[in-house]
Each structure stands twice: as structure tokens, then as C-alpha cells.
Amino acid sequence: YPENVPGRAPYFPFGIAKNEKFIYVISHTNLAHFDAETYEYLGLIKECKTGVNSHQMIIDEDNPDLLYICNTSNDSLTIFNLKTKENKYVLLKDSIDKPFEIVDTIDFKFDVYVDDNYHINSICQHKDSLFLVLSFKEKAPSKILEISKKDYQPLSIIENIGQFNHDIIVTDEYIYSLSTKTGELVEYNRNDKTITKYNVCMDNDYWWLRGMKRINDSIYVF
């Protein structure tokens, strides 16, 4: 693992994804994989190139060879092909006014603060779209960015969804995210474009909302 990463510990696993055979874990620039049944450590996939401070990642629901990784401190998304071992990157913005650039290589900075403008920390897939959380830490209200899975170009952006948000769940009717700083579950109605916030931490003296899972009709918040 990298040493002396400014602003982050050298060992910092944040992202995890699973298919039928393997469990993948991303920690800074290192992608590790494990046997999904025995949990045996199978080593690093060194061909995968990401920046320091990588956060969530997912496997494409339609193409199990594609892995999407949030390069949180580098304002970009890594698309890694598990079969061909090829990388490409989407250079993301907090606006949909201009096309996003797709590149084959990227100059990752080692300091987690140098290129961290949007702090992209969460990702999910719904149908033909990828949805990402731009949390901005505490510099500005968080946003949700939707990009096409076909060409990785921007489709929509939802503003003012909370403060220092983490995690995202998308359905046909709703988008959910956690407003980490305010202790709220944020619900965005995709039909009438309204936002409803639910305080889930009113009885606690301290909270740090990170981690959310939908199972059947329930949402579990950590």
C-alpha cells in the first residue's frame, strides 16, 4: 500500500463489490480480490489503476466484466475491464453543460486534497444510467449526477440534496441518499422533483451516516 498519503492513512479500504466468483475490495490505488465462497485472499489485480482515496465501486449489472470505481480525490471515474485488464476514465464535472472527456490514462495526484473538488464518493446503477454522489465535503451542498452507461455522458444533475452526502439508492420513482452532516435520509421524488428529508439521528448525540442498503421495502442505514 502507498505510504505517507497526505490526508489519508496508507491502508484505507472503502469500496466493495461482489459477483458469483469473487469479492473485490478497493483501497487507495490497490484492487484486491477474494474467493466469494471461502473468502480466501487471491491477491491484487495490479492492472487496475485508480487514484488515492478511492471510495465506492460497483460491477455493471449487464456486463459483469466492467467495474466502476469512484476516484474520490481525483474528480473521475475508473472503468476497469476485468477480462481485458484495460482502464479508461471519465473526467467528471458538477455541470451537464459540456461533454465529459473520456481518456485512457490519467495523471493521478498522490495528495488527496490537490484534485478533490467534488469528492465523488458513491455510485449505483439503475437501468442504463450510473448515478454518482458529488458530496463536496462541507464546501457546498451535495449533488447527484446521472450519466449514461452507453457513452458516459451527463444526463441530469440534482442539486441541494443534503450536506456531505454518502451513499445512493435509485428506483423508478425515488432516489435516496444520506445527508451525513445533518443526520438525514434524503428522498428525491423523480416524478414531481420534490425533496423530502427524514431525521434518523434525532435521539443520538453523535452520528456519521455512511452505509445504506435497500432490502425488499426497507432501507437500512448505518
Side-chain angles (χ1 to χ4, degrees), residues 199-218:
N199 192 328
V200 297
C201 292
M202 61 181 66
D203 295 327
N204 296 327
D205 294 328
Y206 175 80
W207 63 83
W208 183 256
L209 300 187
R210 175 179 287 176
M212 181 172 60
K213 180 73 174 180
R214 185 181 185 211
I215 302 175
N216 298 324
D217 293 327
S218 296

Side-chain angles (χ1 to χ4, degrees), residues 19 22 24 31 45-50 57-60 62-69 77-89 103-104 152:
N19 58 21
F22 304 110
Y24 299 93
L31 177 65
I45 302 177
K46 296 184 178 181
E47 295 89 348
C48 182
K49 306 297 182 183
T50 69
M57 65 177 174
I58 59 171
I59 296 173
D60 193 298
D62 306 305
N63 183 353
D65 290 329
L66 290 184
L67 192 63
Y68 304 108
I69 304 170
L77 182 69
T78 289
I79 304 167
F80 179 68
N81 191 307
L82 292 161
K83 185 176 182 179
T84 66
K85 309 301 182 187
E86 295 175 319
N87 296 278
K88 63 180 174 181
Y89 309 92
V103 298
D104 295 325
Y152 307 115

